[in-house]
Amino acid sequence: MKIGDILKQNSRGVSFEFFPPKTDKGMDKLISTSLMLQDYSPLYFSMTYGALGKNQDRTKKAVYGLLDKATAAVMPHLTCIASSRSKVADLLSEYKDRGVENLMALRGDLPAEGFEPAGECEDFKYAVDLVKFIKKHTNFCIGVAVYPETHIESSSVEEDCEYTKRKIDAGAEFAVTQMFFDNKYYYEFMNRASRQKINIPVLPGIFPLTDIRKLDNFLKTCRVSLPRRIKEDMEKLSEHPQDMEKAGLEFTIKQCQDLINNGVRKLHFFTFNRPDTIKKILDNLNW
């Protein structure tokens, strides 16, 4: 079923994002994880895709495994940077044949060494190019990423809004935000979206806080801020991992509850393939 229709038919719910495992044992664990989380009647499952398509085969294997076992809709991520139109077309055809109906269309990370001087690796420069290509050649339901604190390459809020609007106008039917830890950024983004007449569903992306040590460098690469208070509280507990995780998850639960209290009825969780962490959060929310 198409996620656009699922979101219209359900007044509330949660979705879960996984990463493709590297081993058969990891694949078995992923299936087990998805079955555990099905108890929460997920809106859909999504599967990430490696930078420059490096994890394409693992992504496909994970997607097909979920399609065979899960009852929820399954959506692969698809990055387009350094990909050719022909390769993307082949993948779209394969996904269609396997019963996939939904895609998360992303640009992906720029290659550190830059592009080759010429050739097919420059067929897609931005996510909007991929959205247009998918929409022109197929009937997939398309999701896109949006950025409450603006994309790291955007020079201003206005520019970020413009690029967001282009992706929506090109055919995206829903969006998932990049992680954020201060809900004001989500509320401000939704206000900007409303002024731009962007009226597709925008699910807030929830990143469970568990280990501050692993988070710092990542935050710097994607222009995401962390409130000073929780940062300081977790850093004080860095020598006590269980206490640090407890403090982080308490923060995440409060973040989710604030969103719910302010009328948000659909949440998207970056699971990191850790169902116990997600269950701790969901079991403590008051809907």
Side-chain angles (χ1 to χ4, degrees):
M1 188 173 183
K2 293 186 176 181
I3 292 173
D5 295 330
I6 293 171
L7 296 177
K8 290 176 182 177
Q9 294 174 14
N10 289 271
S11 60
R12 69 169 192 161
V14 292
S15 56
F16 301 118
E17 182 170 309
F18 306 117
F19 63 82
K22 298 179 181 179
T23 65
D24 290 341
K25 184 177 180 180
M27 187 65 210
D28 291 340
K29 183 179 178 181
L30 172 65
I31 298 301
S32 175
T33 293
S34 69
L35 294 177
M36 289 176 65
L37 293 178
Q38 280 188 173
D39 291 343
Y40 297 93
S41 302
L43 300 165
Y44 65 87
F45 294 139
S46 69
M47 184 63 60
T48 62
Y49 191 76
L52 308 184
K54 291 180 180 178
N55 291 343
Q56 178 178 311
D57 289 339
R58 295 210 306 264
T59 296
K60 288 194 295 185
K61 182 177 179 180
V63 167
Y64 300 153
L66 288 179
L67 282 173
D68 290 339
K69 299 292 184 180
T71 57
V74 181
M75 176 181 68
H77 290 203
L78 176 56
T79 61
C80 63
I81 201 72
S83 292
S84 69
R85 290 184 179 88
S86 61
K87 288 181 180 179
V88 170
D90 288 344
L91 183 57
L92 295 178
S93 179
E94 179 179 342
Y95 276 149
K96 181 181 178 182
D97 290 343
R98 291 299 297 263
V100 174
E101 296 183 274
N102 307 282
L103 289 170
M104 174 62 70
L106 306 164
R107 185 195 69 177
D109 298 327
L110 292 171
E113 67 278 8
F115 288 107
E116 297 174 10
E120 63 183 16
C121 66
E122 293 190 79
D123 281 356
F124 301 98
K125 289 188 176 181
Y126 302 102
V128 65
D129 300 324
L130 179 60
V131 174
K132 290 177 180 178
F133 184 83
I134 296 171
K135 203 68 180 177
K136 181 177 180 180
H137 297 282
T138 70
N139 193 34
F140 286 98
C141 174
I142 304 170
V144 292
V146 295
Y147 304 88
E149 296 184 64
T150 73
H151 192 279
I152 193 167
E153 295 172 28
S154 293
S155 61
S156 66
V157 169
E158 291 74 22
E159 182 181 69
D160 192 76
C161 282
E162 175 60 26
Y163 282 118
T164 298
K165 186 71 162 56
R166 289 181 189 180
K167 289 190 288 188
I168 308 309
D169 291 346
E173 296 182 44
F174 68 99
V176 176
T177 75
Q178 185 180 60
M179 64 181 182
F180 57 93
F181 299 101
D182 187 334
N183 287 351
K184 74 174 184 180
Y185 292 114
Y186 177 77
Y187 301 140
E188 289 171 356
F189 174 87
M190 294 304 294
N191 286 334
R192 294 195 299 271
S194 178
R195 291 195 296 271
Q196 290 284 336
K197 294 184 170 50
I198 294 173
N199 53 15
I200 63 171
V202 179
L203 278 66
I206 305 300
F207 185 109
L209 275 179
T210 58
D211 191 336
I212 194 68
R213 297 165 300 183
K214 296 179 180 179
L215 187 61
D216 268 348
N217 288 336
F218 184 59
L219 294 178
K220 295 174 185 176
T221 65
C222 57
R223 190 185 280 170
V224 173
S225 58
L226 185 65
R228 178 184 294 180
R229 183 173 180 180
I230 184 60
K231 186 175 188 293
E232 292 176 348
D233 287 348
M234 291 185 73
E235 285 176 342
K236 292 176 184 176
L237 298 169
S238 60
E239 300 301 319
H240 305 277
Q242 290 183 330
D243 292 337
M244 179 172 59
E245 178 172 320
K246 181 180 178 181
L249 290 183
E250 287 176 352
F251 173 86
T252 303
I253 290 166
K254 290 179 180 178
Q255 179 188 13
C256 292
Q257 193 63 57
D258 180 79
L259 289 166
I260 292 168
N261 292 345
N262 281 278
V264 178
R265 291 294 179 263
K266 300 181 179 76
L267 305 175
H268 179 86
F269 286 90
F270 307 114
T271 71
F272 301 98
N273 297 15
R274 295 181 59 189
D276 292 341
T277 298
I278 304 303
K279 286 169 67 68
K280 287 177 184 176
I281 298 168
L282 293 176
D283 290 345
N284 281 281
L285 294 181
N286 178 13
W287 289 84

